[in-house]
Amino acid sequence: MNPQFHLLPVDAAVSAGRLDDLALCVLLLTGAVALAVLVVMTGFSIRYRAGSDADRTHVPRKGLPVEIAWTVIPLLLFLGIYAWGAVDYVKLYRAPDNAMSVFVVAKQWMWEAEHKNGRREIGQLHVPLGRPVRLVMTSQDVIHSFFVPDFRVKQDVVPGRYTSIVFTPSRTGEYRLYCAEYCGTEHSRMLGRIVVMQPAAFAHWLQAGPHQPGMAARGYQLYRRYGCSGCHDPGSSVHAPDLTGLLGRRVHLADGRALTADEPYIRDSILQPAKDVVAGYTPIMPSFAGQIGEEDILDIIEYIRESAHDERTERR
Ligand code: HEC
Ligand SMILES: [Cu+2]
């Protein structure tokens, strides 16, 4: 047996300590309220029990100051907790500019990860120490949940949708990754490990190993193979929008809506082109649902992202 007793797992991510503090604070606050109610209740039950000779005349009918106090003080305290929680919550979902994106596809019953340079791994994920990591995740089959207790990070991974989570590893070592959503017979064995490395060692690891073309390069090949280029290339005779620099661009749709193009938008454009038709174009794009896998879509999105960078450097 482990001689050491741990109330909490180790904290191996920057936000872990803050989230622990928040949980503790909520526990103490609600505990204090529960305790106060209990103590007063017990005291009154004893004092005013049947047969006691407590003074029951002159019962106060009003106690405005008390009522205001017990309404306003808890309200402010709990609003404070809400603000604190909201700030930390946003941090889990909004990636800072220097964040490194890694793409994760969950399937029965394993975790697959792909780094931008094309390095893939199964059942494990290598990340550098001290740099924010943004995971963009989707599932090939059912709902899974990416759960790393040592990072205090848990996020559902849903088929047909991208979800993301941001964390900054603060300690080197190996940490357990669990699937926290029952996903079939071998759910309990859908485990993985997160390996946090020193930045230099990580850079070395990223370059080593079986090498494949990077995600963007593969995306470019797929872009040709699936015939996207036939319509979307600037020189094409088909009237279709130019996709360079699409990510982050404001898009106006035929039905009057406007949105900012992000990864889910591009994914939907490929699988359900009729859902968001770009203003000024006829909806002639065929749906690629059932023909194109999640990994391929991620690669194409990376190609579209990188194409914007190429253009910017060319313009300089
Ligand atoms: C037959 C021609 C054709 C093919 C093939 C085609 N598209 Fe399109 N695509 C269009 C047209 C036309 C639009 C604009 C109307 C619309 O939104 O449906 C469009 C819209 C889009 C958009 C939204 C663009 C924007 O500016 O918001 C994306 C993203 C996209 N296509 C990606 C792809 C990808 C990736 C492929 C290959 C897997 C592909 N398309 C294949 C014709 C095509
Ligand atoms: Cu699972």
Side-chain angles (χ1 to χ4, degrees), residues 65-83:
V66 184
E67 286 186 22
I68 290 179
W70 80 39
T71 309
V72 172
I73 295 173
L75 180 70
L76 293 180
L77 282 175
F78 283 101
L79 278 179
I81 295 268
Y82 166 76

Side-chain angles (χ1 to χ4, degrees), residues 32-265:
V33 172
L35 197 71
V37 170
L38 210 74
V39 166
V40 173
M41 202 170 73
T42 314
F44 282 172
S45 327
I46 295 172
R47 180 133 178 245
Y48 295 105
R49 70 189 185 281
S52 82
D53 49 9
D55 178 15
R56 288 187 168 80
T57 55
H58 310 298
V59 181
R61 297 268 166 229
K62 274 194 195 132
L64 198 57
V66 184
E67 286 186 22
I68 290 179
W70 80 39
T71 309
V72 172
I73 295 173
L75 180 70
L76 293 180
L77 282 175
F78 283 101
L79 278 179
I81 295 268
Y82 166 76
W84 179 1
V87 167
D88 281 355
Y89 180 85
V90 167
K91 278 194 199 143
L92 288 175
Y93 293 97
R94 187 175 294 159
D97 288 340
N98 64 337
M100 176 185 103
S101 294
V102 183
F103 303 87
V104 172
V105 176
K107 50 182 82 161
Q108 286 166 326
W109 288 275
M110 58 177 144
W111 296 101
E112 288 185 0
E114 180 163 17
H115 295 264
K116 278 209 175 176
N117 75 342
R119 176 101 206 233
R120 287 181 183 219
E121 35 186 345
I122 292 181
Q124 48 184 2
L125 172 64
H126 287 71
V127 286
L129 180 73
R131 172 139 180 230
V133 176
R134 172 177 182 247
L135 300 182
V136 177
M137 304 186 284
T138 190
S139 163
Q140 195 101 299
D141 34 55
V142 298
I143 301 180
H144 301 274
S145 180
F146 183 94
F147 180 34
V148 186
D150 296 332
F151 291 174
R152 313 291 189 272
V153 154
K154 190 194 243 177
Q155 173 61 51
D156 273 4
V157 181
V158 184
R161 197 196 290 182
Y162 290 145
T163 51
S164 73
I165 192 90
V166 179
F167 58 84
T168 308
S170 63
R171 212 187 266 249
T172 53
E174 288 190 11
Y175 305 98
R176 268 324 249 300
L177 160 65
Y178 298 87
C179 177
E181 183 73 55
Y182 179 68
C183 59
T185 43
E186 280 174 51
H187 160 71
S188 63
R189 284 162 57 191
M190 190 166 163
L191 303 169
R193 59 191 187 119
I194 313 277
V195 184
V196 180
M197 305 169 91
Q198 289 292 346
F202 174 76
H204 189 78
W205 175 88
L206 200 59
Q207 295 312 321
H211 237 87
Q212 304 166 36
M215 289 180 76
R218 195 143 15 126
Y220 175 72
Q221 290 165 6
L222 295 167
Y223 192 72
R224 317 236 127 227
R225 194 184 323 143
Y226 285 110
C228 320
S229 52
C231 292
H232 284 285
D233 268 0
S236 154
S237 57
V238 180
H239 183 54
D242 181 6
L243 301 184
T244 20
L246 177 60
L247 274 159
R249 194 199 290 161
R250 198 87 187 130
V251 179
H252 295 274
L253 301 179
D255 58 10
R257 281 179 301 143
L259 46 77
T260 303
D262 53 6
E263 290 115 350
Y265 168 73

